[in-house]
Amino acid sequence: TTEIYTLSLHDALPICAYEFLDQDCVEVLTQWTGITTPLESESPFYVLIETAGSNATHDEEKLHAFLENTMESGLVVDGIVASEPSKIKQIWEVRERITEALRHDGYVYKYDISLPLPKLYDVVEDTRKRFEGNGAVTRVVGFGHIGDGNLHLNITGPKYDEEVAKSLEPWLWEWTQGVKGSISAEHGIGFKKRDVINFSKTKEATDLMAKLKDTMDPLGILNPYK
C-alpha cells in the first residue's frame, strides 16, 4: 500500500528533490562501490528529500516538524539531516551512483517509465515474480524521481539474453498501459520507443503530435528520426 503524507500550505516544505530507491539498489551499490547509506538500520525503501527555501530558520522549523510527524506516525523509521556540503554530497552519492554500480553487475536492461504513485513499485515486484528462478536474471531494482512518478526499472543478468528481452517486451508496455502510465518518462521516445508509443498515446494524440512536428519542422531536420 502507498501512504501519502500531506502538509498544509503553511507547513509545506520547499522541496527541490524527492528521490526513491529500494534495498536492492543499496545492496548492489555497496557490493560494487563500497558505498553504504548513513543510516544505522536497513529498510525495504529509502527516500532522499532536498529542500531549498528563502528563509533558513523558518524552513528548518518546517523540516523538523515534518520529520517529527512522519516518524511519530511510523511512516518513517529512521533518517538523517545534513546541511554541510560534504555530508550532502555523501548522501547524494547513494542515489547518483546506482547506475554505475548496476553496470558492474552485468548486462542491464534499462527502462524509464512513469506510473501512478500507488502503482509505482508494483511493477518491480511483478517483474521479480516473472523472472523468479531464472538464472539469466541476477536482480531487479527500482529507483527514480517519486515527485513525478518516474521509475527507473533495471534488470541485470550475467550477459544479454534474447529470451529475457522478449519476456520484458511487450509485457512491460502492456503492464504500464494497464495502469494508465507512460512507457517513457524523462528520457523521451528516441529511436527505441517510437514504434510502441501507442501503448501510452491514442492515435488521435499521435496524429496531433505528427501535425505539430510537420508544422514546426517541415524539412525534418530537427533531431532527425526521433
Side-chain angles (χ1 to χ4, degrees), residues 78-122:
D78 196 6
I80 186 169
V81 178
S83 56
E84 301 87 354
S86 60
K87 294 277 183 66
I88 293 172
K89 182 176 182 294
Q90 181 184 4
I91 292 173
W92 266 108
E93 276 195 322
V94 175
R95 166 63 179 84
E96 292 178 336
R97 294 186 65 182
I98 295 171
T99 300
E100 173 195 339
L102 287 167
R103 283 198 292 266
H104 291 291
D105 213 39
Y107 185 85
V108 188
Y109 307 83
K110 302 172 70 69
Y111 293 95
D112 167 56
I113 57 180
S114 60
L115 303 166
L117 285 180
K119 299 291 184 180
L120 189 72
Y121 202 71
D122 289 1

Side-chain angles (χ1 to χ4, degrees), residues 112-201:
D112 167 56
I113 57 180
S114 60
L115 303 166
L117 285 180
K119 299 291 184 180
L120 189 72
Y121 202 71
D122 289 1
V123 69
V124 180
E125 294 175 333
D126 285 354
T127 304
R128 286 176 180 154
K129 291 176 185 175
R130 190 167 181 80
F131 292 103
E132 192 172 5
N134 188 331
V137 170
T138 304
R139 76 180 91 218
V140 179
V141 307
F143 62 100
H145 319 296
I146 201 168
D148 54 7
N150 181 193
L151 179 75
H152 298 306
L153 175 68
N154 282 214
I155 301 97
T156 67
K159 61 181 181 179
Y160 174 78
D161 188 290
E162 184 70 23
E163 292 305 312
V164 172
K166 288 180 179 178
S167 187
L168 283 166
E169 300 177 30
W171 170 79
L172 181 60
W173 310 140
E174 293 168 348
W175 195 103
T176 303
Q177 183 185 51
V179 297
K180 295 181 170 53
S182 174
I183 63 164
S184 188
E186 65 174 329
H187 295 299
I189 297 299
F191 292 102
K192 293 184 176 180
K193 295 181 179 179
R194 63 183 181 181
D195 296 328
V196 293
I197 192 174
N198 60 292
F199 285 99
S200 293
K201 300 293 183 182

